[in-house]
Structure formats: structure tokens, C-alpha cells
Amino acid sequence: MLIAEICANVQVKSINQNFTYKVPERLNFLSAGWRVIVPFGYRKKIDGFVLKISEVADDTQFDFELKEIFGAIDDEAWFTPEMINSARWLADFYLCPLSQSMSLFMPGKVGKKISQLSEKIFKLPKNFSADFISNLNPRANMQAKILKILFERKELRAIDFDSLKISKSVMKNLIKSGLVEVEMRRVLRDSYAEIKSLAQPVTLTSEQAAAIESVEKILREKIFQGFLLHGVTGSGKTQVYIELTKNVRKLGRRAVILVPEIALTGQIVKNFKAYFSDVAVIHSRLSVAERSDIFHKIRNGEVGVVIGARSALFTPIDNVGLFVVDEEQDFSYKQDNAPFYHAGIVAEEFAKFHNAAIIFGSATPRLETFFRAKTGELTYLELPRRALNQPLPEVELVDMRQELKTGNRNVLSRALKNLLTETVANHQQAILLLNRRGYHTFVMCRLCGEVINCPDCGLAMTYHANGYLKCHHCEIEIPTPEVCPNCGSKYIKFFGTGTQKLEQTLNQELPDAKILRMDRDSTTAKFGHRKILNAFVRGEYDILFGTQMVAKGHDIQNVTAVGILSADASLNFPDFRAAENCFQLITQAAGRAGRAELQGKVVVQSYNTTADAIVFGCKQDYLNFCRREILNRKKYFYPPYCRLVKLLFKSKVESDAKNFAKKIVVAFKSEVIETSNVRQEIFGPIPAMIAKLRDEFRFVVLIKSNDLAAVKNFLRKHNLNILPEVVIDIDPTSTN
């Protein structure tokens, strides 16, 4: 008899084991990778993933009665052996249940067969002869017409009927008489099919050619090697990726190109489609059916290049020779819910599985990545100048304190307003970055100081132009009060500036300019980012403004001006990466200006003009910023000098969460720190930045270690990986 080892697809941390089921004879075609429906618990059916099929003499060796698999979900195995092995690694590294990591490879819903779109194809029978058309009744002109068309075209689709003036009733009669056959064929959707581009002649710089040559050697040898491609904004990193992908395809292997956000996919897809006809694009905004179609094409070998955000890693692609992590510094690569994987770390491990090269590309690499390159763990490749030798943009730093002293209380400094006015007058375009969302940041009573906070998490709520206050963590909305809920005063005031307020200011100050906003609120539609960017690229608008997404990766030829508002806003954020984030934001945003023949100009507005991140960001001087910042990291034992593990303890009873966290801290000190030969530290518990969420109190414990394996062994020993009240985040991007 056949038995199956099955991973039950239940998203419960405490169920961290596989189960054995009997395979009925009618399902003896099953193999590893199939999704099945199985009985689980008391009168319950769930879906599961087949990990292994074995043959045993009988079931007497088991001390319990084996239950039978009910049935298969799909028409084929969903998981390849490579996908299963990858999921096992993910579960082990990130201390999550296997069912959770395997779910990453699933675009569908739990227990549901993924729907496929099919259409009718009309064809002639194999034994059909053209002579038969002339034996037809002379009055059957329409039948003869249809048969002639089919004989010439081989097949027809229903959507062809109107243009060819084919009668549906006549076609129905031909089918009934056996003269036409109908075949159901799967339709594979492609939401990026309309993106077309022609390859332009390219002359590589000497630095680009040298970088390509370094990686090509590894591609030919089909061995793993990691690279950091450190290139200033506009240096032609994308062309390097394209040239290397050409090489990979010639070798008969495939490529995976990662970008941090879907807002960036349209442009890089256009660039790649100019050279490759077998490109597939995948990200979370696509429908389940669209992603399923892409998986089908990848399995059938119809795709040679996969482009997308994090989820592009989890396709059934095999024989990969090249992985690219573009804009590798971007925190969007970190999953913000369980399992808390980082796409860059996962991509590197997958590259090892495939014996492939991996390139991390950025103008402002993470300090950890740069450190790895400088210590030889990654091969360092540098593009120090722009591809067409354009100068980097001129940057002006404006002290907003001085603006206030001279009476300018506007969100726009005089320098920025003048730059925007001049840019619009010259029929050029500008990008403005404001790292906030909403009409005003918060609402406060000027009499008693009460801030209107979210009733669930306690954070300040954001005012929106529709008259509502919204919590951007809990998504709760409440009407804006007319009087203070604390003291009854009517002196409540909006503070701060969000994108909606900035839009109003721009319309007032620059009435002749055509303004376009891009933030999370304006891009909720499926392809909202693409529609906004396409309209801006076509020149329909003069100024594009919004949150961080406007600063990332865009290469728009007519953009000559960039303004950065509240550049120092993130500096006081209680996190060790605050300065790095600030520097990256300034450099990346400034890099959008002057990428063609015209000189770029940038205005950076800040209340802090002496911080390293501001000074070196305005100079676009990565190396000196890195040298300064790396000293702080070493002094305070932060990455790249350690690995971080963040533990979040939560409970509806505040003391329960806090006391359990304290107990774990004491145990870690005695069991790990006091017995270790390497540096290890543990801090906390402290209240999380969102100290209460969905009626649960939350406390954070932070571990710094040079022995990640020892930390994970400790966590497993104390069952923290299976307790629902503890969340484990390996390599967190934030310590709060």
C-alpha cells in the first residue's frame, strides 16, 4: 500500500509537524508536490501538501489508524522538488512552520483549485478534405464560407466571428453535423502584454564592460558567486543586468530580476522587453488566476526571464543562472508579516541552490552589503559615473529654520518655489518627495494639548481631506471631532503636512502647473502606479509628488528638478538605521534629476543641516557617509558587526507579556551569553512602538549575536518558534 507524508496547510504555529495518510488506489498517481484534501481533526477537511510517497506492506506498523486522502485539488503537481527544498530551508532559517513557508509558493486560496480561463477553439476534423466544400448544397453559402476560412486559418476563436461576419447559428449546425470540431484551450493572461519596446543602440562604458566581464566568467563556470554592483544614480546598472541576462539565455539558463516595489516594474519590464520575448512579470497585485497562468508558462519552459517584487522568488522556475536584486537597499524587500523573510537573503540562498550568480545593485547599498563587499565576501563592482557622462545634479540645502525667521511659514521654501516656477516655465518636469501621507499629520487641542489617538493602538490618527481621521496601522476611520474630546474646547488644530495638504499648497502657489500625486491612497487600483507614471512620462503633468515611491528607480528624461521636503524627518526615529535611511532617501530622490542632456537641480529642505546623513546626502557622497556611520555601528555592536533577532511578546494581559519576556531574557543570559565564546547581547523587554494593537499589549526583546545558530537553538529549546504569543523576526529592518 502507498502512504503519503503530508504537510497540513494550517496556519497555526503550534502544529509544526507532518502527518501520514493512506493513499487510496484511485489516487495512486500522486507524487511529491501535489495539493490534496485530507481529513484533519474532528469532522474537518483541510488541504495539504504531499512531501513524500512511500510504499509499505500494510498499516500494522502504525499504532494508530491511518486516514485516507479524500482527493487531489489540481490537475498536476503544484510544487517541484526544488520548491519543496526551498520551503524547507525557509522554515528552518526563519523558524516558521513548513506550511507557512510553502504557502509563499501558492498564489491560490486555501483548499481551492486555482481557476483557469478557457476558450473554445473551432477546427476542422483531421480527415477533412477541401473537395467536400464544393459538394455542399449550393444554398449553403455561409457554411462553405466558414469551412474555407477554417481550411485556410486552421482554427478560429469566438472573438473572430464578428470581424469575419460568421453566423453563430450556422457554426452551431456545422458542429452538430460533425464538419467542425470544438476544442477547449487554456487562455494564458498577461497583464504586461501591451508593453512593447525596441532595443536602442548602446555603447557600454568601460566600467559597465568590466563589470559584465567579471560576472560572465562565473556564468560560464556555472558556480555560485555574489556581487555588489555599486553605481551612482543613472550609471546604467539596468543595462548591465540586460547584457548579463543575454549571456545567461545563450547558455540555456534563466534569470530572475527582483525590484522592490510594483511601482518600478513597468519601467524595467519595458527595458527588458526590448531585448527578450519570453519575459514574465509577477507581483502581489496580480490576480490569483493571472499568477497561476504565469506559473503554467514557467513550468512549460515558455519563460526565460522572471521580473517582479518579492513574490517573484516563489515560482516553479528551474535552471536559473542569474539572480538580480535591484535597489537592494530598499526595505520593501523585507516581508512585514510572518514569515518575516528578506528577499535579498532568500535570493542569495536560492542562487546557491542553482549554482547561479547573484547581483545586488544600488547607488546606496545597505551598510551590511557594502561591508561584505569590502571584506571580500561579495565581489565589488563599481560604476562611479553616469552612463552618458552627465554630471550629478546640483544640490542646494535649505535651512527651514531660517525660512521661518524671515517670515516664510509656507511648506515650500523660496528656493524650491523658484525652482518649480522656473522648471514649469521651461516646459520641464519636477518630482517632489514628502515622506508622509494624509492631509495633516495629526489633530491636537491647542488648549489642553490632547492629541486625537487611535482607540486600538494609541498612535496619533491622520487627518484626511474627506473629513475623517484614519489610523494607518489599524485602518480605523472616525469622524474628525468638532470639539476636544478631553476638555471640550473648540480650539483644535491640524499639525504637520501630508501629501493632500501639499497638493493644496502646490495648486495655490503654482496655479498654472499640472500636478499629479502618487502615494498609497492614490494607487489603490490594480495598476495605479503604472497609470500615474505613464501619464507623467507622456508629459501630461508638470510636477509629480508623493511619498517614498516617487524617489525609487524612475528614469524620466524631462525631469530636471527635484524637491525633498522634511528631509530630516526620519533622523529622530528611534532606530539604529535612521541616519542610513535618511541618507539613502536624499541620494535616491536627488538621482531622479538631470538624467538626460539637461542639468539637474535639487532643493533639500531640512531643519537639521549639520547631521552626517544630510551633509553627505546632499553631496551624494556614499563612501564618506559609510566611513562615519560604520564607526557607530561598530561602537554600539550593530550590523554588520552582528546579526539581529527581534522577539515580540504579546498578550491581552500586560503583565503576562512583560513577565514572560523577562523570563526569556534571564534564560538567554545564563544559557547563551555566559557560556558563549563570541559576543552576544540581549535588551528589553521594552514596549513596542505600537505598544497595544488589536487589544493586545506588546513588548520587544532584541538579541545581538555573532552566532545566529546558537540563538536559534535557544529559541527552539524554549519552544518560542511554536508559541502563538511570540513573534520571531530574524534580521529585522527595525528594532522597535
Side-chain angles (χ1 to χ4, degrees):
M1 62 176 278
L2 295 178
I3 60 171
E5 180 187 351
I6 289 178
C7 171
N9 190 12
V10 286
Q11 302 298 306
V12 179
K13 287 176 67 178
S14 57
I15 302 177
N16 196 19
Q17 66 180 84
N18 301 323
F19 299 88
T20 304
Y21 287 86
K22 188 186 296 183
V23 181
E25 194 170 324
R26 61 187 170 80
L27 297 177
N28 61 8
F29 58 84
L30 291 178
S31 60
W34 280 79
R35 290 198 306 155
V36 292
I37 298 293
V38 294
F40 193 84
Y42 181 68
R43 292 185 178 179
K44 187 177 182 181
K45 293 181 182 179
I46 64 167
D47 70 317
F49 312 126
V50 178
L51 301 175
K52 184 181 178 182
I53 298 288
S54 306
E55 189 168 357
V56 295
D58 52 49
D59 58 1
T60 56
Q61 61 182 282
F62 300 97
D63 54 6
F64 53 88
E65 183 182 354
L66 288 183
K67 296 179 180 180
E68 276 194 356
I69 298 172
F70 286 133
I73 296 176
D74 306 304
D75 299 323
E76 60 184 345
W78 185 264
F79 296 89
T80 64
E82 292 82 6
M83 292 164 80
I84 294 175
N85 289 336
S86 298
R88 288 186 190 276
W89 176 84
L90 274 159
D92 178 69
F93 186 83
Y94 287 104
L95 299 179
C96 68
L98 181 60
S99 59
Q100 204 171 67
S101 64
M102 291 190 78
S103 294
L104 293 171
F105 296 83
M106 283 298 310
K109 294 181 180 178
V110 172
K112 297 291 179 72
K113 182 174 181 176
I114 298 169
S115 62
Q116 299 175 358
L117 182 63
S118 299
E119 67 175 344
K120 291 180 179 179
I121 303 296
F122 302 89
K123 304 169 67 175
L124 294 172
K126 289 182 181 178
N127 59 356
F128 183 84
S129 171
D131 296 336
F132 182 79
I133 298 175
S134 60
N135 297 335
L136 279 174
N137 189 315
R139 285 177 292 185
N141 290 333
M142 181 55 74
Q143 287 190 344
K145 175 186 174 182
I146 293 173
L147 293 174
K148 283 180 181 177
I149 292 172
L150 277 171
F151 188 77
E152 293 169 358
R153 295 197 175 198
K154 307 301 182 188
E155 60 184 41
L156 285 173
R157 300 155 67 199
I159 60 172
D160 300 324
F161 286 8
D162 288 342
S163 62
L164 296 171
K165 297 182 179 178
I166 290 176
S167 165
K168 293 180 182 178
S169 60
V170 175
M171 180 66 84
K172 190 174 182 180
N173 289 332
L174 285 171
I175 295 168
K176 194 178 291 185
S177 63
L179 293 174
V180 174
E181 294 179 347
V182 179
E183 172 188 305
M184 296 303 295
R185 185 177 297 170
R186 182 171 182 177
V187 177
L188 298 175
R189 288 145 289 198
D190 182 0
S191 297
Y192 288 80
E194 78 281 5
I195 294 183
K196 293 179 172 59
S197 183
L198 294 176
Q200 302 296 326
V202 173
T203 301
L204 297 174
T205 65
S206 58
E207 293 91 351
Q208 285 175 313
I212 292 165
E213 185 180 354
S214 297
V215 183
E216 279 181 342
K217 181 183 177 184
I218 298 300
L219 297 179
R220 288 193 298 270
E221 294 178 3
K222 296 185 178 180
I223 58 175
F224 165 77
Q225 179 61 49
F227 298 84
L228 169 60
L229 182 62
H230 182 194
V232 298
T233 54
S235 58
K237 293 184 287 294
T238 300
Q239 195 63 40
V240 172
Y241 307 151
I242 288 171
E243 298 301 324
L244 290 171
T245 303
K246 287 181 189 177
N247 189 283
V248 165
R249 298 300 292 132
K250 286 177 185 175
L251 293 170
R253 306 187 79 189
R254 305 204 254 186
V256 175
I257 314 296
L258 298 184
V259 293
E261 291 193 40
I262 59 172
L264 304 183
T265 54
Q267 188 162 313
I268 201 165
V269 169
K270 186 176 180 180
N271 291 333
F272 268 79
K273 278 199 167 187
Y275 296 89
F276 307 99
S277 59
D278 55 355
V279 173
V281 185
I282 190 162
H283 51 72
S284 58
R285 288 281 184 97
L286 297 178
S287 70
V288 168
E290 285 172 320
R291 281 179 278 161
S292 175
D293 289 347
I294 292 170
F295 276 42
H296 180 81
K297 288 196 283 189
I298 291 172
R299 278 198 181 94
N300 287 353
E302 300 171 38
V303 173
V305 183
V306 173
I307 299 176
R310 292 190 307 262
S311 57
L313 280 172
F314 306 112
T315 71
I317 194 167
D318 60 3
N319 194 23
V320 181
L322 176 68
F323 288 85
V324 170
V325 185
D326 191 31
E327 303 290 352
E328 73 88 30
Q329 82 289 343
D330 200 290
F331 288 152
S332 299
Y333 282 123
K334 177 72 171 178
Q335 174 95 337
D336 58 5
N337 51 47
F340 297 90
Y341 71 90
H342 190 288
I345 293 173
V346 175
E348 185 168 353
E349 194 64 28
F350 287 7
K352 292 176 184 176
F353 294 163
H354 288 270
N355 287 321
I358 182 168
I359 300 175
F360 299 97
S362 177
T364 56
R366 290 185 299 156
L367 260 66
E368 295 98 307
T369 310
F370 184 74
F371 186 81
R372 292 178 65 200
K374 284 304 182 182
T375 54
E377 190 177 343
L378 299 173
T379 300
Y380 184 67
L381 308 173
E382 189 177 15
L383 303 178
R385 58 192 174 102
R386 286 187 156 183
L388 300 177
N389 281 321
Q390 313 100 315
L392 288 171
E394 175 190 338
V395 180
E396 178 181 355
L397 177 60
V398 175
D399 189 336
M400 294 303 287
R401 295 169 299 184
Q402 294 301 317
E403 290 288 308
L404 286 173
K405 286 180 180 178
T406 57
N408 180 19
R409 299 184 179 276
N410 199 307
V411 67
L412 301 177
S413 65
R414 288 165 297 181
L416 182 53
K417 182 182 175 182
N418 291 338
L419 175 61
L420 294 175
T421 302
E422 180 183 336
T423 301
V424 173
N426 290 335
H427 305 290
Q428 296 163 8
Q429 292 173 294
I431 290 178
L432 294 184
L433 167 68
L434 175 66
N435 191 23
R436 291 181 184 175
R437 211 166 79 249
Y439 192 79
H440 292 272
T441 302
F442 57 91
V443 175
M444 188 179 81
C445 174
R446 287 178 288 171
L447 192 62
C448 73
E450 176 79 0
V451 174
I452 309 300
N453 291 329
C454 170
D456 266 17
C457 69
L459 293 184
M461 303 189 79
T462 300
Y463 177 77
H464 284 254
N466 62 1
Y468 277 77
L469 293 173
K470 184 175 183 179
C471 174
H472 288 155
H473 289 283
C474 304
E475 301 296 327
I476 288 176
E477 278 192 351
I478 62 171
T480 302
E482 294 182 1
V483 297
C484 174
N486 181 55
C487 70
S489 165
K490 64 180 181 180
Y491 297 107
I492 56 174
K493 181 180 175 61
F494 307 123
F495 285 85
T497 300
T499 50
Q500 293 178 15
K501 176 63 176 176
L502 177 58
E503 184 172 28
Q504 182 187 70
T505 301
L506 288 171
N507 285 323
Q508 290 172 348
E509 298 292 330
L510 300 158
D512 296 329
K514 289 173 282 187
I515 314 269
L516 186 61
R517 174 164 60 96
M518 185 165 80
D519 58 11
R520 197 178 86 174
D521 295 326
S522 66
T523 56
T524 54
K526 182 175 179 180
F527 291 106
H529 303 85
R530 195 162 79 187
K531 291 175 182 175
I532 288 173
L533 284 173
N534 285 346
F536 189 61
V537 170
R538 289 193 299 266
E540 296 173 15
Y541 294 87
D542 303 307
I543 299 172
L544 172 69
F545 77 96
T547 48
Q548 287 193 23
M549 63 182 71
V550 303
K552 298 176 180 179
H554 310 306
D555 187 356
I556 301 170
Q557 301 293 294
N558 197 38
V559 171
T560 58
V562 166
I564 303 173
L565 284 69
S566 306
D568 56 330
S570 61
L571 272 180
N572 296 317
F573 193 77
D575 191 272
F576 76 98
R577 286 193 174 96
E580 182 181 13
N581 296 344
C582 180
F583 172 85
Q584 288 172 347
L585 193 66
I586 293 172
T587 306
Q588 292 287 341
R592 301 313 110 210
R595 296 173 73 97
E597 294 83 8
L598 300 171
Q599 171 70 43
K601 177 72 185 289
V602 181
V603 172
V604 177
Q605 298 184 176
S606 176
Y607 288 91
N608 184 338
T609 58
T610 59
D612 285 349
I614 301 292
V615 173
F616 290 121
C618 290
K619 292 179 180 178
Q620 299 172 79
D621 186 350
Y622 177 85
L623 294 179
N624 277 313
F625 169 76
C626 191
R627 289 189 186 103
R628 294 279 190 93
E629 184 63 16
I630 208 83
L631 294 175
N632 288 328
R633 300 287 182 89
K634 187 174 184 179
K635 179 180 179 181
Y636 296 107
F637 192 45
Y638 276 113
Y641 295 98
C642 74
R643 297 291 287 270
L644 297 181
V645 177
K646 183 169 71 173
L647 306 178
L648 180 70
F649 297 81
K650 54 185 182 177
S651 174
K652 292 186 181 297
V653 180
E654 185 176 13
S655 59
D656 287 354
K658 190 172 186 178
N659 290 337
F660 184 32
K662 285 181 176 179
K663 177 183 173 183
I664 293 300
V665 170
V666 171
F668 186 84
K669 287 178 178 178
S670 63
E671 296 176 28
V672 180
I673 294 179
E674 293 177 7
T675 62
S676 178
N677 295 323
V678 298
R679 187 173 179 181
Q680 317 239 29
E681 294 179 0
I682 190 166
F683 301 90
I686 61 170
M689 177 165 286
I690 305 175
K692 187 180 181 185
L693 181 65
R694 297 184 183 94
D695 204 30
E696 286 186 319
F697 294 93
R698 296 146 49 93
F699 289 87
V700 167
V701 168
L702 186 69
I703 297 173
K704 300 179 182 178
S705 176
N706 277 326
D707 188 351
L708 187 58
V711 174
K712 292 202 285 188
N713 287 338
F714 170 83
L715 300 177
R716 289 191 187 98
K717 176 184 174 182
H718 289 268
N719 294 322
L720 299 189
N721 59 316
I722 63 174
L723 293 177
E725 64 267 30
V726 181
V727 177
I728 300 174
D729 189 353
I730 309 287
D731 297 318
T733 54
S734 170
T735 56
N736 299 285

